[in-house]
Amino acid sequence: MPLLGAPLLDGTCVAAGAHAATITDMAGRTVEIPHDVHRIVLGEGRLIYALAPLEREHLFDRIVGWQGEFRTADTQSYDQYVARFPAAAKVALIGKTTADTISPEKVLDLRPDLAILTISGHGPGASSELVSQLQAAHVPVVFVDFRANPLHDTVPSMRILGTVLNRQAEAQDYITFYQSHLDRVTQAIAKVPMEQRPTVFIEMLAAMRESCCHTAGKGNMGAFIEAAGGRNIAAPLLPGYIGDIALEKVIASDPDIYIADGTKGPRAAGPGLRMGAEVSPDLARSSLRTVEERPGISTLRAVTGGHAHGLWHAFYDSPYNILAVEVMAKWFHPDLFADLDPDRTEKELYGRFLPVRQEGTFWITP
């Protein structure tokens, strides 16, 4: 921990007295953080993705409450974490899968000394009743984000978490890894003329809805497409970073590359891409073929020409998004990135930074 009163590299000032640090969070709020944080509440369960590289073997030592969407949206990863950390199954649920299910009273009953929330996503926002009640109870609330503008917000969010958790060294270690891999892709893509970049469509949670097509615009997975040297056909069609466009628009655009994403496990029921922890390559590939066979999608040039791919949906809200960027770069520009090895990057990330080795399939090509 830096000396009290000393500035951190990101401009954060470590204050003397009862508080260890005064930080500016991703919502632009100034927050005083206590020196010793012992009881943490997570506004979204999937914030565990961000805490894992920082807390590592101590991941569940301080988490006393979280929202329940992690165990339903990424069941296999949740099961793997519970197997490694039995305490995970005992973490109190403060809500189900949406912000309106969260009980401020239940949160306060847990006596947290820190709440970590996200600006965008399934959890409570800055104007929520939960934030008001936590502030009234003098519980610091910190906002981070990995969802709306991930390639811009991942590094500062990890740096903020490193400060509030007193894990600055671990945060900087991850940031250095992350930034070096991102720079490797974006610096090469900067030299590729726009007309040489393929058109791309990503169908998020593919085949899980009655109608096509849920996708990303300017931001979220769309940001990965752009960074990897693709032209996202949905970017000019959506007002926000996530939304729906008509299948007819996709067919009319007839993209060069089609990507389906999903996070269903081998025991899940219903349609959708099988992808993520515990999923074998064969199961992922066969489920991708099923997704491709739907009316309209099956006629796309990308599908008939063998340029359709599958991707883990949870990259859309995780600091592991660098893997999605590398995989897309390899798909979009195989010659330019002949020596890029996303599998090696995945092994380094999971082996070096995470306390649970995520065995499974996180991207696939037919």
Side-chain angles (χ1 to χ4, degrees), residues 66-116:
W66 58 0
Q67 190 170 245
E69 95 293 341
F70 178 40
R71 66 184 62 191
T72 57
D74 189 8
T75 304
Q76 313 95 270
S77 292
Y78 172 79
D79 289 344
Q80 289 188 351
Y81 271 93
V82 169
R84 173 63 181 82
F85 296 100
K90 301 176 183 177
V91 174
L93 291 179
I94 61 171
K96 296 180 181 178
T97 61
T98 57
D100 60 359
T101 65
I102 289 181
S103 165
E105 293 77 15
K106 184 175 290 187
V107 174
L108 291 171
D109 285 344
L110 294 171
R111 297 179 290 106
D113 45 29
L114 176 67
I116 303 174

Side-chain angles (χ1 to χ4, degrees), residues 119-131:
I119 294 175
S120 57
H122 294 264
S127 60
S128 67
E129 178 64 22
L130 175 62
V131 172

Side-chain angles (χ1 to χ4, degrees), residues 35-205:
H35 184 272
D36 292 313
V37 172
H38 299 290
R39 300 180 63 81
I40 300 170
V41 168
L42 304 179
E44 290 193 58
R46 282 175 293 179
L47 276 167
I48 209 71
Y49 299 143
L51 267 62
L54 308 179
E55 296 283 66
R56 303 186 188 180
E57 299 303 319
H58 301 283
L59 183 55
F60 287 92
D61 289 1
R62 300 190 275 181
I63 299 172
V64 297
W66 58 0
Q67 190 170 245
E69 95 293 341
F70 178 40
R71 66 184 62 191
T72 57
D74 189 8
T75 304
Q76 313 95 270
S77 292
Y78 172 79
D79 289 344
Q80 289 188 351
Y81 271 93
V82 169
R84 173 63 181 82
F85 296 100
K90 301 176 183 177
V91 174
L93 291 179
I94 61 171
K96 296 180 181 178
T97 61
T98 57
D100 60 359
T101 65
I102 289 181
S103 165
E105 293 77 15
K106 184 175 290 187
V107 174
L108 291 171
D109 285 344
L110 294 171
R111 297 179 290 106
D113 45 29
L114 176 67
I116 303 174
L117 310 182
T118 57
I119 294 175
S120 57
H122 294 264
S127 60
S128 67
E129 178 64 22
L130 175 62
V131 172
S132 298
Q133 292 203 26
L134 286 170
Q135 289 176 329
H138 305 290
V139 177
V141 179
V142 172
F143 280 90
V144 293
D145 206 63
F146 300 95
R147 192 169 186 260
N149 193 4
L151 300 186
H152 179 270
D153 293 344
T154 290
V155 165
S157 290
M158 292 300 287
R159 185 169 286 121
I160 287 168
L161 291 174
T163 299
V164 303
L165 298 173
N166 199 14
R167 302 288 190 191
Q168 292 92 336
E170 291 85 352
Q172 188 56 54
D173 194 20
Y174 188 81
I175 288 168
T176 299
F177 163 84
Y178 179 94
Q179 195 66 60
S180 64
H181 282 271
L182 182 60
D183 289 347
R184 161 75 175 85
V185 172
T186 56
Q187 289 172 8
I189 290 301
K191 302 173 184 178
V192 178
M194 194 60 66
E195 62 272 14
Q196 294 180 19
R197 303 183 186 190
T199 56
V200 182
F201 175 67
I202 183 165
E203 185 182 2
M204 300 173 70
L205 301 174

